[in-house]
């Protein structure tokens, strides 16, 4: 809370998720913190570590019993959707933390090459939940600069080897506010 209060610029919670799904996990942000963060133009970037996403994985972290309960891409989408519903799409980003959470990443989001799984699930979720996608996401499909960026990003990402989760994943820890990550959504159709 203190950084939000004293900062003269928007604050980014770069590697957090929502405490709503993991009660008591102090690294995550409470609804009240999120509302205050957004009121000053801040962004929360959702962390993909399973213990940041689900209470089941958080409990495993404390007790170490049984097989590890990996989160799933749908858990990441639940966090993103809650942020969108509480404070709006302009206050959510992707923090991932591919180089910081070890082998706790969701079963279908193990490295940046799996981002299409996230985008696909976001589109599917929002369409299934709200009956439309265009009302939930900014439409950048007609912007030539963003189309150019999309083409460059696709060319670059297609040329990258799959480094896996070894701390060398390019772009592993990036903040992508909705105005950036929506670029990735624009060319996709349902």
């Amino acid at each position: 809370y203190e950084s939000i209060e004293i900062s003269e610029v928007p604050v980014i919670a770069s590697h957090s998720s929502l405490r709503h799904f993991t009660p008591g996990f102090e690294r995550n942000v409470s609804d009240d913190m999120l509302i205050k963060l957004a009121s000053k133009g801040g962004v929360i970037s959702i962390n993909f570590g399973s213990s940041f996403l689900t209470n089941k994985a958080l409990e495993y972290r404390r007790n170490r019993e049984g097989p590890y309960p990996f989160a799933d891409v749908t858990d990441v989408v639940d966090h993103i959707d809650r942020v969108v519903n509480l404070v709006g799409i302009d206050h959510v980003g992707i923090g991932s933390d591919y180089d910081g959470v070890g082998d706790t990443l969701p079963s279908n989001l193990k490295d940046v090459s799996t981002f299409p799984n996230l985008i696909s699930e976001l589109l599917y979720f929002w369409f299934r939940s709200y009956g439309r996608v265009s009302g939930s996401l900014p439409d950048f499909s007609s912007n030539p600069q963003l189309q150019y960026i999309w083409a460059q990003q696709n060319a670059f990402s297609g040329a990258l080897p799959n480094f896996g989760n070894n701390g060398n994943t390019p772009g592993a820890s990036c903040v992508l506010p909705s105005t950036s990550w929506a670029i990735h959504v624009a060319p996709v159709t349902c």
Side-chain angles (χ1 to χ4, degrees), residues 3-186:
S3 60
I4 297 169
E5 295 296 324
I6 63 174
S7 180
E8 295 180 19
V9 297
V11 173
I12 297 172
S14 64
H15 293 83
S16 297
S17 293
L18 299 177
R19 209 176 288 167
H20 171 83
F21 298 100
T22 55
F25 190 32
E26 296 298 317
R27 280 276 311 267
N28 280 348
V29 173
S30 70
D31 289 353
D32 185 57
M33 293 168 102
L34 178 63
I35 291 166
K36 287 183 178 165
L37 181 81
S39 74
K40 293 189 84 177
V43 172
I44 181 173
S45 293
I46 302 301
N47 187 313
F48 293 176
S50 290
S51 62
F52 286 78
L53 298 170
T54 70
N55 208 38
K56 201 178 236 186
L58 181 59
E59 286 302 316
Y60 178 88
R61 185 176 171 177
R62 293 174 182 150
N63 303 324
R64 307 273 179 190
E65 294 177 10
Y68 188 80
F70 289 100
D72 182 89
V73 67
T74 59
D75 297 308
V76 176
V77 169
D78 288 343
H79 283 257
I80 292 171
D81 187 60
R82 183 162 179 85
V83 173
V84 170
N85 284 318
L86 286 175
V87 296
I89 199 165
D90 291 331
H91 303 285
V92 65
I94 298 171
S96 66
D97 205 9
Y98 282 123
D99 59 349
V101 294
D103 187 25
T104 69
L105 293 158
S107 56
N108 43 7
L109 275 176
K110 293 293 186 188
D111 60 48
V112 294
S113 73
T114 60
F115 261 41
N117 295 339
L118 176 59
I119 301 307
S120 176
E121 185 59 31
L122 280 167
L123 289 170
Y124 177 73
F125 175 83
W126 280 328
F127 186 79
R128 184 181 68 233
S129 299
Y130 306 113
R132 68 191 189 299
V133 173
S134 61
S136 300
L137 299 173
D139 179 14
F140 294 118
S141 60
S142 62
N143 183 312
Q145 287 96 354
L146 296 179
Q147 288 175 353
Y148 173 78
I149 292 169
W150 172 254
Q152 295 303 308
Q153 189 262 352
N154 278 343
F156 178 75
S157 64
L160 288 175
N162 182 353
F163 291 104
N165 186 24
N166 63 3
N168 296 322
T169 308
S173 201
C174 54
V175 175
L176 299 172
S178 64
T179 52
S180 296
W181 68 262
I183 295 167
H184 302 281
V185 175

